[in-house]
Amino acid sequence: MKPKWLLLLCLLFASTAYARHIAGGELFYTYEGPDPNNNANSIYTITLRLFRECNSSGPTLESEQATVGIYEADVLLRTLPLPRISDVNTISLNTAAFPCLVGSVGACYQVALYSASVILPNSLVGYTLSRLGCCRVDFITNLSVPTGVGSNYVTRIPGRVALAGGFNSSPQFNVKDTALICSQKRFTLDFGATDKDGDSLTYSFCEAFSSPGGNNNAAPPNILSQNALPYRFPFSGSEPLGDKVTIDPATGVISGIAPASGNYVVNVCITEWRNGKPFTEHRKDFIMAVQSCDFIEANLPDKIIQCDNFTVLFENESNSSAITNYRWNFGDSLQNTYPQSGSVIHTYKDTGVYIATLSVTGPKGCIGTDSVEVRVFPGFKPDFTIGGSCFLNPYNFSDRSNSVYGVVNYWKWNFGDETVLNDTSLLKNANYKYTTASVKNIQFIVGDSKGCLDTLTRSLAVSDKPLLQVPFKDTLICSIDSLPINVNSAGVFSWEPNINISNTNTANVVVYPKDTTQYIVSINNNGCISKDTITVNVLPFITIEAGLDSSICLTDTIQLKVTSKALQYQWTNSRNETIPSIKQPFVQPIGNTMYYVRANLGKCEDKDSVFIKTVPYPQSNAGLDTLICFGSRVQLNGSVVGSSFRWTPNLNMFNRNSLSPIVAPSKTTTYWLFSEDTLGCPKTVIDSVLVQVSPKAIISAGNDTAISVNEPLQLNATGGSYYQWTPSTGLSDPSIANPIATLGANIDSIVYRVRGDNGNTCYGEDIIKVLIYKGGPDLYIPSGFTPNADGKNDVLRPIPIGIATLNYFSVFNRWGQLVFSTNEIGKGWNGVYNGEPQPSGTYIFQAEGKDFTGKKVYKKGTAVLIR
């Protein structure tokens, strides 16, 4: 990948001011040589690279006092002050410095180096170097503790046990500083390192360490403290940026999709290897700032090699939303450009090497360009074979790859031996001898002269003996038969015993024992030996018993169960139906049927038959569903064909032992009629009948009332859909809910009955009594009332006769104070005013209403409140 500014080499904390200021650090050392005064000692230069958040209010790097604790077996050996040896360097990253960066972002940090030399004895166990700090920046996104988290920067000098006869210097990271990345954007950051000693390096994310707190100038403790930071789920030391970001263990490249905006503590551990063995670890602890930003970028891979066909997929690996235009040139035509998309497919007309170019544009005139070498040479087919017998002998690995336009010239085998690291080969055809038996994961990387490269993987089961596959372990034959046995394996064969067997030195033999015999087959493949045993059971003859005659229910399925040691079976029946040729088939006879079976074991044969009688199922008919009114009864009408029956549920059922019981359910109920038979079909057949219970209509005719002669009375029934009033005397329409009644002087009183229903047979009734006053419209007001809550005469209210509208009804105490007033007919005074019961005594009332002709009726008087 070609370098690009778009990754912004600053992974540091960038925010407003915080009291805590440290944003990362790395402690490393360099071996300077032996002590000239004592060869048992060595000289090391210890260096601390320390990062500070620019806007914090904590100590400056100029005033920072760095002290390193040197520990042997986790016990403090000595302390080493590290004076500052560099100027404090400030780096600011923002949109002013990078105009093509989209979003409100910025990062500022300071970095300084602190270093000193020290003479240390050549230790067997080595040393651990530790620098404790109180003041890691606050509000780190992937930690569960928001504030007060300290830091502990650690590295290790290996001892003679881990690194016999050698010395070591820390590897140096390629990225000296840290970086700013954009949230939810794909990124790649090279965190690889170089090593002056030439050691092999592997990389991983690992837990960063905290400190007990205090201040940066506190003396290192006597016992080494290595406490992991409190990570917040789902983050951890091994996944500090979530599961979408990984680090390549071979290269140290951190890549993936950045998490949500925030500040994340990341710790990279380098394991150093020498002579194929790991011997020490180096660490770098830093804060990665993830911000909401975007950028203009053309980002193509370093190389595209198409070895399958002539069609190549081109994709801009940057998904910036700020890109407004794409322009592609595929290198095979001057006019071959596509300006609309960041992902295009192009088909080349011929093989060759092409240079494809992408140019993207965005706001502020920002332009990004990149190019990629495209090699188009289809026809590369990788393949390989494996030959071998067991781990006692080498396995042969042979390349079978082909290349149409090039020559296969690169091979790399990894033989998957879990016990060593050097199980590889660069030969075209290789041999490898394993020391253990297990499943090996073989990897084969093969390439040709045109740059085509592919990787094949395959599992290889390495055994302690050659593969020997017998067709069966145990079989049965008849004494007059012979049996061919074919074994799948390679090698020199031998069979024993050499009795009633032919071709004993081959994989394919024929046996014809007269008694049960165990044959042992052996193969020898270049000293690898396998054995297996085949038991051939021999019967002088066979028999078959088809079982006892049976009865089943008609249309049921039955399994025919025979007793025999035969291996082949042939079934027929009296109805010429087709039956599977198996030992115990399932059949479904449609009537009484005889079944015949013929059994064979080779040339030995026997026959038998069995009769299956079919009996019809019993029958049950619970009758038709019905509807009744609540409180009514209904007779069920069931019928059965069977020897017995029963009803359920039988609550509120009369004559339950009859097929015609009477039921009186209180709610809708399903009744089940069970019919059973004892004539050969012992099955129960069930039928049901639903009795729906419809509630009676709750009809209301209204309250009893009184009217004047010839005063129209509006009746109003409720609770139903259909109504009928009786008698029809004086009614405008007796079949509606609200007829008008007009009664003359010839009637003193009348009782109307109204029947209503909801469209079914379930009805309800109510009555209303009407008194006819012949003195004309009037307001009758009692002379006294007793509001003692006994339900009798508790309220003082006007009784309207022939009154259509009540204008007012008012009550006053003896001081003329209004204590109650209403204009609603039916309402009255309960003797309470302002929430307080009024005393016994005389109260004055006034009332006025209008009759049905509009004439006013006025009443005034007194009423006595009695308590």
Side-chain angles (χ1 to χ4, degrees):
M1 183 73 68
K2 292 160 278 301
K4 300 178 177 65
W5 65 269
L6 298 170
L7 246 213
L8 302 183
L9 290 181
C10 172
L11 260 146
L12 194 69
F13 186 78
S15 64
T16 56
Y18 294 103
R20 303 173 68 83
H21 59 289
I22 295 301
E26 178 190 6
L27 191 61
F28 56 93
Y29 61 90
T30 303
Y31 171 69
E32 304 294 353
D35 180 5
N37 299 318
N38 187 347
N39 287 334
N41 300 330
S42 295
I43 302 174
Y44 293 91
T45 298
I46 312 299
T47 304
L48 172 68
R49 180 181 288 112
L50 197 60
F51 303 95
R52 177 184 183 275
E53 203 280 318
C54 289
N55 299 321
S56 69
S57 59
T60 64
L61 293 183
E62 288 87 351
S63 62
E64 197 81 38
Q65 296 184 19
T67 300
V68 171
I70 303 175
Y71 295 84
E72 186 176 28
D74 292 344
V75 178
L76 183 65
L77 178 69
R78 59 172 295 178
T79 61
L80 179 66
L82 300 181
R84 182 167 55 87
I85 63 169
S86 71
D87 294 332
V88 175
N89 185 26
T90 300
I91 298 179
S92 297
L93 296 177
N94 49 44
T95 54
F98 300 96
C100 290
L101 187 64
V102 179
S104 179
V105 297
C108 178
Y109 71 95
Q110 298 167 325
V111 60
L113 297 177
Y114 304 81
S115 185
S117 295
V118 64
I119 299 175
L120 297 174
N122 296 329
S123 169
L124 287 176
V125 298
Y127 301 99
T128 300
L129 311 180
S130 169
R131 194 273 178 171
L132 296 175
C134 70
C135 305
R136 196 185 289 269
V137 294
D138 287 334
F139 304 108
I140 299 176
T141 305
N142 57 350
L143 298 186
S144 61
V145 177
T147 61
V149 179
S151 59
N152 185 5
Y153 305 126
V154 173
T155 192
R156 293 180 174 86
I157 300 176
R160 294 304 179 91
V161 173
L163 194 62
F167 298 93
N168 188 62
S169 296
S170 297
Q172 295 292 307
F173 283 98
N174 298 332
V175 177
K176 304 299 183 184
D177 301 323
T178 49
L180 167 69
I181 61 176
C182 294
S183 172
Q184 306 302 327
K185 299 295 182 181
R186 187 174 300 277
F187 76 97
T188 299
L189 180 63
D190 185 1
F191 234 80
T194 58
D195 189 82
K196 63 178 295 185
D197 304 313
D199 297 322
S200 298
L201 306 178
T202 58
Y203 305 84
S204 65
F205 288 133
C206 54
E207 291 180 328
F209 296 144
S210 180
S211 70
N215 60 70
N216 286 356
N217 300 324
N222 291 328
I223 302 299
L224 178 63
S225 172
Q226 291 179 290
N227 300 318
L229 292 179
Y231 290 93
R232 177 175 64 86
F233 182 82
F235 302 103
S236 64
S238 59
E239 291 186 349
L241 297 170
D243 59 2
K244 294 183 180 179
V245 178
T246 59
I247 185 170
D248 189 312
T251 64
V253 172
I254 300 174
S255 62
I257 299 176
S261 297
N263 301 289
Y264 298 78
V265 61
V266 179
N267 198 41
V268 174
C269 286
I270 297 178
T271 300
E272 297 189 63
W273 299 70
R274 192 174 296 180
N275 298 324
K277 295 182 178 180
F279 64 91
T280 192
E281 179 185 79
H282 179 61
R283 310 164 65 89
K284 182 173 183 179
D285 179 329
F286 57 92
I287 299 291
M288 179 177 285
V290 181
Q291 299 187 6
S292 179
C293 56
D294 205 348
F295 43 81
I296 305 301
E297 180 183 21
N299 191 357
L300 299 177
D302 290 332
K303 185 179 293 186
I304 297 176
I305 302 176
Q306 178 56 285
C307 299
D308 296 330
N309 49 52
F310 291 93
T311 300
V312 178
L313 171 65
F314 292 89
E315 289 187 291
N316 184 16
E317 295 180 353
S318 169
N319 57 354
S320 171
S321 60
I323 297 176
T324 58
N325 191 48
Y326 299 84
R327 190 168 185 85
W328 293 90
N329 189 305
F330 302 114
D332 59 347
S333 172
L334 295 177
Q335 303 299 323
N336 203 350
T337 59
Y338 290 78
Q340 283 80 24
S341 176
S343 176
V344 296
I345 295 176
H346 179 70
T347 300
Y348 289 92
K349 295 181 179 180
D350 199 357
T351 60
V353 179
Y354 306 91
I355 302 298
T357 304
L358 170 63
S359 177
V360 298
T361 57
K364 302 178 184 179
C366 295
I367 298 176
T369 60
D370 199 5
S371 61
V372 59
E373 179 183 280
V374 184
R375 305 180 68 87
V376 181
F377 295 101
F380 177 64
K381 303 296 182 183
D383 192 17
F384 70 94
T385 60
I386 304 175
S389 54
C390 70
F391 76 92
L392 298 177
N393 298 314
Y395 278 77
N396 303 316
F397 298 87
S398 302
D399 174 38
R400 294 292 183 266
S401 305
N402 292 306
S403 178
V404 174
Y405 295 101
V407 176
V408 179
N409 61 356
Y410 177 79
W411 308 270
K412 184 176 181 180
W413 299 91
N414 186 315
F415 303 115
D417 192 338
E418 68 276 10
T419 63
V420 297
L421 295 177
N422 60 348
D423 58 330
T424 61
S425 175
L426 299 179
L427 298 176
K428 175 180 181 180
N429 301 313
N431 296 324
Y432 188 79
K433 186 176 184 299
Y434 294 96
T435 59
T436 60
S438 66
V439 176
K440 315 297 181 181
N441 295 315
I442 312 301
Q443 183 186 73
F444 178 45
I445 303 175
V446 59
D448 66 5
S449 58
K450 296 300 184 180
C452 294
L453 193 71
D454 205 347
T455 301
L456 301 180
T457 59
R458 193 173 299 170
S459 294
L460 171 65
V462 175
S463 176
D464 58 348
K465 52 190 175 183
L467 179 64
L468 176 62
Q469 293 180 316
V470 296
F472 45 80
K473 293 283 191 179
D474 200 326
T475 191
L476 181 68
I477 66 171
C478 197
S479 59
I480 60 176
D481 291 328
S482 60
L483 173 69
I485 303 176
N486 301 319
V487 177
N488 182 14
S489 189
V492 178
F493 282 82
S494 67
W495 295 78
E496 58 181 18
N498 191 9
I499 299 175
N500 296 325
I501 185 172
S502 62
N503 303 322
T504 56
N505 294 324
T506 67
N508 304 319
V509 299
V510 177
V511 298
Y512 40 92
K514 302 306 177 183
D515 297 301
T516 297
T517 305
Q518 282 190 333
Y519 289 96
I520 301 174
V521 55
S522 302
I523 62 166
N524 187 325
N525 191 335
N526 296 321
C528 298
I529 298 175
S530 283
K531 291 185 178 183
D532 208 342
T533 301
I534 298 175
T535 300
V536 180
N537 298 281
V538 180
L539 293 178
F541 57 87
I542 62 165
T543 61
I544 184 169
E545 294 181 4
L548 300 176
D549 296 344
S550 301
S551 295
I552 66 169
C553 296
L554 184 63
T555 72
D556 276 5
T557 298
I558 185 173
Q559 185 176 23
L560 303 178
K561 296 183 178 181
V562 302
T563 302
S564 178
K565 294 183 178 180
L567 297 181
Q568 295 87 32
Y569 298 88
Q570 183 68 43
W571 289 89
T572 59
N573 69 6
S574 58
R575 297 178 183 273
N576 294 322
E577 295 172 330
T578 301
I579 305 172
S581 299
I582 59 177
K583 185 176 183 179
Q584 297 179 343
F586 285 91
V587 295
Q588 188 179 31
I590 59 175
N592 296 338
T593 305
M594 180 71 77
Y595 290 90
Y596 307 94
V597 59
R598 182 177 66 191
N600 291 90
L601 179 62
K603 299 176 182 178
C604 296
E605 182 178 291
D606 195 18
K607 299 178 180 180
D608 200 8
S609 63
V610 62
F611 180 73
I612 305 299
K613 178 183 178 181
T614 59
V615 180
Y617 266 85
Q619 298 177 23
S620 176
N621 185 351
L624 300 177
D625 296 343
T626 187
L627 173 70
I628 65 171
C629 297
F630 178 80
S632 300
R633 300 180 178 186
V634 67
Q635 185 175 30
L636 304 181
N637 294 297
S639 62
V640 299
V641 176
S643 59
S644 63
F645 69 88
R646 58 188 172 88
W647 291 93
T648 185
N650 51 36
L651 182 65
N652 296 326
M653 177 180 284
F654 306 95
N655 298 327
R656 65 183 63 176
N657 295 323
S658 166
L659 285 171
S660 302
I662 296 175
V663 295
S666 60
K667 61 182 180 179
T668 297
T669 303
T670 299
Y671 292 93
W672 302 90
L673 178 58
F674 293 76
S675 176
E676 296 177 346
D677 193 7
T678 59
L679 303 177
C681 182
K683 300 290 182 71
T684 300
V685 177
I686 308 171
D687 194 24
S688 64
V689 59
L690 177 67
V691 179
Q692 290 183 291
V693 179
S694 180
K696 287 186 176 181
I698 301 175
I699 304 300
S700 173
N703 297 324
D704 295 345
T705 187
I707 61 173
S708 297
V709 174
N710 295 322
E711 175 192 352
L713 173 62
Q714 177 72 65
L715 299 176
N716 189 23
T718 59
S721 300
Y722 304 95
Y723 301 92
Q724 185 64 47
W725 295 83
T726 56
S728 60
T729 303
L731 298 181
S732 61
D733 187 348
S735 63
I736 63 175
N738 51 353
I740 296 176
T742 306
L743 301 170
N746 60 324
I747 298 176
D748 295 327
S749 66
I750 190 170
V751 175
Y752 287 109
R753 180 182 301 275
V754 61
R755 171 180 288 190
D757 62 52
N758 290 315
N760 53 36
T761 59
C762 300
Y763 62 87
E765 292 183 337
D766 196 17
I767 60 173
I768 181 173
K769 184 177 181 180
V770 182
L771 299 176
I772 297 90
Y773 287 86
K774 300 178 181 180
D778 203 351
L779 287 168
Y780 293 95
I781 301 172
S783 59
F785 68 110
T786 57
N788 56 4
D790 63 354
K792 299 178 181 179
N793 200 27
D794 288 329
V795 178
L796 178 66
R797 63 166 63 90
I799 301 174
I801 302 299
I803 300 300
T805 303
L806 179 65
N807 293 337
Y808 60 84
F809 171 64
S810 301
V811 182
F812 304 86
N813 61 20
R814 59 182 177 175
W815 293 284
Q817 186 179 19
L818 179 66
V819 296
F820 177 78
S821 182
T822 184
N823 61 359
E824 295 184 42
I825 294 176
K827 285 194 173 182
W829 185 43
N830 62 358
V832 176
Y833 176 62
N834 284 339
E836 295 291 334
Q838 297 302 294
S840 300
T842 301
Y843 292 81
I844 303 168
F845 65 79
Q846 287 184 339
E848 181 183 272
K850 290 182 181 180
D851 66 9
F852 61 91
T853 64
K855 180 181 177 181
K856 290 184 178 180
V857 177
Y858 175 77
K859 279 295 183 74
K860 179 179 181 182
T862 61
V864 179
L865 189 157
I866 303 171
R867 290 196 183 276

